[in-house]
Amino acid sequence: MFEQEIAQKLKIDGVEQSEIAALLEVPKDASMGDLALPCFRLSKLLKKSPAQIANELAPLFDGCAFLESAQTAGGYLNFKFNREEVAKKLIETNAQGEKFASSNEGADKTICIDYSSINIAKPFHIGHLSTTVIGGALCRIFQKLGYKTVGINHLGDWGTQFGKLIVAFKKWGDRAEIEKEGVLALNKIYVKFHKEAERDPSLEDEARAYFKKIEDGDAEAMELFHWFKEITLKEVEKIYDKLKIKFDSYAGESFYNDKMQCVIDILEQKRLLTLDDGAKIVKLDEFGMPPCLIVKADGATLYATRDLAAAYYRKKEYDFYKCLYVVAYQQNLHFRQLFKVLELMEFSGAKDMEHIAFGMVSLEDGAMSTRGGRIVRLSDVLDKAVEKALKIIKEKNPQAQNATQIAQSVGVGAVIFSALFNNRIKDIVFSFDKVLNFDGETAPYLQYTHARCRSLLKKGGEPDLDKVDFSAISDDEGYQTVKAVLAFPDAVKFAAQTREPCVVSRAIIDVAEKFNRFYISHRIADAAENERAARLLLAKAVAQTIKIGLGLLGIDAPEAM
Ligand code: ARG
């Protein structure tokens, strides 16, 4: 705030205004002021001591309307803003409504975001939470800044496991049961296949033969293949609805069946392929990586081959500015290899590919494991969170209207937020008590603060702009809240830049904490006439900021709780 205005006044011979602006920083100790100019680097240039420079610059700000003071201290020039001038900005903030913090920096730019990207016939477990909610949040954050986004669910819908699944289904499957039980039933026969195949290896041959049939487009095999897909998608779509996730494309691995040859041709042309025991690989030892396998000896293509084809397809179809892959850090090597091969192929989008890695989610009682069958289904986690939320809400407010609906928003919101509060790369240990703590750094805390503000506005009425006296929100608590609200647009930008939704999460937690501190020490809805309007204006801005922030994360902000 006010960086531009301050830089404009700082006229120093031989130094560009933009260079000076870049030097401005926020003091660590808030009592020093809102912004500071350290004069140490200028010292060399101007051949004067930092203190002397600061002293010479200070008078430039005499009588400056937006500043309370410009004081020198130990080689710094410290600026304190005029708090009422800063608070005035709330009027504009409120007038912007839900457009607050929007921008058009991304106009004409398209960002592809590959996320969630589930595997067909595998249960949707808690391990899929992060990719799904981080990807969804990034889509909305980029949209807020004017980018066009293409959310892609790169389905894992290809591979020999589908041959196994057909064999398993034909031997032990029951159509009605699978229709009813869904993916869990599919997974059950898949697990059984592996057990049985240990005893009877001929099952593997049968599975291979069936997979070949899928590849050849055999009618019966295709029918089953599509049915498995349908069963899986029907189930996950229910979860996507709860999480407010919508994809623009479900083009998964099988979509690229007929799109890999041209990639292989480019690799041949550029002499990047090496024959290795009949397989075609791209050697990467020069870059400190194992080779990238492109075609197996039996002619089968791989995960990486499909990703190469997908990259070319996305560039052609969407002409992306960036192409992001929200995938767990376990696949770091895969993406490093993929991006390197694309670079060697001189693919035009190679520089714009990014792996958005994230850590693992486990439950308090130990890591979840798929192999051992100890799968924690995300739908169960969501249901349980909603159930617990309902109990808490009924305890806190026995008269609550639409308690079930509120519990839905609170329970689901709590789970989403738990995956969006820390830097992506951090592993998370999920605990129901922690995420549902109304006094913690949680979604329920934010929702509760939002509802508190809404209720203040219901009681106190809309702020009367003619009566606003900004001195009523200019003490420390008020001013800190105002500043937290006004910092939100930059937080959204920074979240986009760093691809870290947690920047938004933390920004609104900060707003809520600052506001609650103000709330305990000030009257608002029933404040004296001369103070009420300004305080209601602040409550309104806080509510709006929290609501927008939660919205970006895919979380509801109920009016009342
Ligand atoms: N289906 C893969 C998995 O579950 C993730 C796919 C990520 N996207 C991609 N284009 N490789 O591991």
Side-chain angles (χ1 to χ4, degrees):
M1 210 187 310
F2 297 131
E3 282 92 346
Q4 295 308 324
E5 291 87 339
I6 290 178
Q8 247 163 38
K9 286 183 179 280
L10 284 166
K11 293 211 175 61
I12 305 173
D13 282 340
V15 189
E16 291 283 326
Q17 201 174 304
S18 62
E19 277 174 68
I20 302 177
L23 287 176
L24 291 169
E25 59 181 39
V26 176
K28 293 223 167 58
D29 175 1
S31 72
M32 298 308 284
D34 299 285
L35 214 55
L37 178 76
C39 300
F40 307 96
R41 278 207 233 149
L42 295 170
S43 167
K44 250 201 204 134
L45 205 84
L46 303 174
K47 305 205 169 55
K48 290 180 192 168
S49 78
Q52 193 183 352
I53 298 172
N55 281 328
E56 284 176 14
L57 292 172
L60 293 175
F61 296 92
D62 286 347
C64 175
F66 62 85
L67 288 184
E68 182 68 39
S69 68
Q71 282 174 339
T72 58
Y76 286 90
L77 181 54
N78 293 324
F79 303 99
K80 277 195 182 140
F81 299 160
N82 178 320
R83 294 182 171 191
E84 295 184 28
E85 284 301 314
V86 175
K88 271 187 197 162
K89 291 183 184 263
L90 289 183
I91 300 227
E92 196 192 326
T93 298
N94 280 355
Q96 286 171 342
E98 58 190 35
K99 289 249 156 57
F100 176 49
S102 299
S103 87
N104 56 6
E105 69 166 63
D108 308 321
K109 292 194 179 107
T110 298
I111 301 192
C112 288
I113 306 186
D114 176 324
Y115 71 106
S116 203
S117 301
I118 52 153
N119 298 323
I120 297 301
K122 296 262 173 70
F124 196 97
H125 57 79
I126 182 127
H128 297 111
L129 175 65
S130 297
T131 171
T132 308
V133 300
I134 292 171
L138 288 176
C139 284
R140 285 181 291 260
I141 290 168
F142 282 116
Q143 286 161 16
K144 182 95 181 144
L145 300 178
Y147 293 87
K148 182 168 180 268
T149 62
V150 185
I152 304 171
N153 199 329
H154 184 80
L155 298 176
D157 59 358
W158 200 248
T160 46
Q161 72 267 30
F162 292 99
K164 296 177 187 174
L165 211 50
I166 293 183
V167 173
F169 174 69
K170 293 186 81 95
K171 289 207 186 309
W172 314 295
D174 172 348
R175 212 175 246 268
E177 191 194 329
I178 294 172
E179 291 280 3
K180 192 160 145 263
E181 303 283 322
V183 178
L184 222 52
L186 280 180
N187 196 242
K188 208 157 76 192
I189 56 170
Y190 184 66
V191 171
K192 187 173 165 94
F193 176 92
H194 283 275
K195 267 208 200 107
E196 299 288 328
E198 270 173 33
R199 249 179 293 148
D200 177 6
S202 74
L203 286 175
E204 299 277 0
D205 298 327
E206 257 182 82
R208 253 189 298 277
Y210 263 111
F211 182 57
K212 179 93 181 40
K213 282 193 176 182
I214 301 177
E215 287 186 297
D216 296 342
D218 169 84
E220 188 205 8
M222 285 316 268
E223 192 272 326
L224 286 172
F225 174 68
H226 286 302
W227 181 58
F228 298 150
K229 227 165 132 164
E230 208 179 289
I231 296 270
T232 314
L233 289 179
K234 210 163 79 191
E235 206 166 302
V236 291
E237 252 145 37
K238 278 190 220 141
I239 299 182
Y240 290 147
D241 280 347
K242 284 188 189 162
L243 300 175
K244 300 205 181 44
I245 297 287
K246 263 207 154 43
F247 292 95
D248 301 292
S249 160
Y250 275 93
E253 294 192 43
S254 72
F255 178 76
Y256 298 100
N257 278 342
D258 60 354
K259 297 176 182 63
M260 281 173 286
Q261 193 51 48
C262 54
V263 170
I264 297 169
D265 290 345
I266 299 174
L267 287 164
E268 300 270 16
Q269 258 169 36
K270 305 226 175 225
R271 302 184 184 286
L272 292 165
L273 290 178
T274 308
L275 228 44
D276 181 69
D277 252 347
K280 290 178 181 166
I281 63 170
V282 179
K283 285 196 159 176
L284 296 172
D285 15 17
E286 231 186 291
F287 310 101
M289 287 185 268
C292 183
L293 195 50
I294 304 291
V295 187
K296 285 204 245 180
D298 65 3
T301 54
L302 293 110
Y303 181 52
T305 327
R306 290 164 195 279
D307 259 333
L308 290 172
Y312 275 84
Y313 175 81
R314 290 172 190 176
K315 188 70 197 169
K316 193 174 115 244
E317 186 70 16
Y318 306 115
D319 190 24
F320 60 73
Y321 157 70
K322 296 285 169 197
C323 181
L324 313 185
Y325 298 81
V326 186
V327 184
Y329 65 62
Q330 279 88 342
Q331 293 194 32
N332 277 355
L333 177 62
H334 167 73
F335 286 103
R336 278 176 51 224
Q337 290 178 310
L338 180 69
F339 299 165
K340 183 50 85 180
V341 173
L342 286 167
E343 188 191 316
L344 295 172
M345 292 170 82
E346 296 172 76
F347 167 59
S348 63
K351 287 267 166 303
D352 302 316
M353 317 293 282
E354 285 177 43
H355 177 203
I356 309 301
F358 57 83
M360 281 198 339
V361 183
S362 57
L363 260 74
E364 265 182 316
D365 58 359
M368 54 103 212
S369 87
T370 356
R371 280 276 161 73
R374 245 174 45 81
I375 303 159
V376 182
R377 291 205 297 172
L378 187 58
S379 57
D380 292 340
V381 172
L382 292 173
D383 289 349
K384 195 164 162 191
V386 171
E387 196 184 298
K388 283 176 178 276
L390 185 62
K391 231 178 109 201
I392 301 173
I393 288 161
K394 284 195 169 152
E395 266 164 32
K396 279 191 182 284
N397 181 3
Q399 269 91 274
Q401 286 178 339
N402 9 325
T404 3
Q405 207 185 328
I406 296 171
Q408 187 71 29
S409 301
V410 171
V412 174
V415 176
I416 296 177
F417 195 76
S418 71
L420 297 179
F421 182 64
N422 288 305
N423 282 314
R424 285 183 270 109
I425 209 65
K426 217 177 142 196
D427 290 336
I428 304 167
V429 180
F430 181 91
S431 137
F432 283 106
D433 291 339
K434 218 169 83 195
V435 308
L436 283 166
N437 180 354
F438 278 53
D439 296 315
E441 292 170 318
T442 62
Y445 173 71
L446 291 165
Q447 291 168 320
Y448 195 72
T449 307
H450 170 265
R452 166 174 282 166
C453 291
R454 298 303 311 167
S455 119
L456 286 170
L457 287 155
K458 245 172 254 149
K459 250 188 260 157
E462 281 291 305
D464 182 345
L465 294 187
D466 294 330
K467 295 207 176 118
V468 174
D469 171 4
F470 289 104
S471 69
I473 50 173
S474 294
D475 62 350
D476 285 350
E477 287 89 6
Y479 184 54
Q480 294 305 331
T481 313
V482 170
K483 282 220 330 188
V485 166
L486 297 177
F488 182 68
D490 277 344
V492 176
K493 285 197 187 123
F494 195 60
Q497 245 171 53
T498 54
R499 287 80 163 112
E500 288 279 13
C502 74
V503 176
V504 168
S505 312
R506 285 169 187 263
I508 50 178
I509 285 281
D510 192 45
V511 170
E513 283 174 354
K514 300 276 165 59
F515 176 75
N516 284 323
R517 230 167 278 156
F518 180 76
Y519 174 83
I520 17 183
S521 47
H522 297 75
R523 310 194 135 220
I524 297 176
D526 56 359
E529 181 75 28
N530 61 328
E531 295 175 327
R532 198 184 322 141
R535 292 185 182 166
L536 287 170
L537 188 74
L538 181 61
K540 193 171 173 187
V542 167
Q544 173 185 295
T545 307
I546 294 177
K547 184 171 182 175
I548 293 173
L550 285 174
L552 291 175
L553 305 177
I555 301 173
D556 287 333
E559 277 294 295
M561 266 168 79

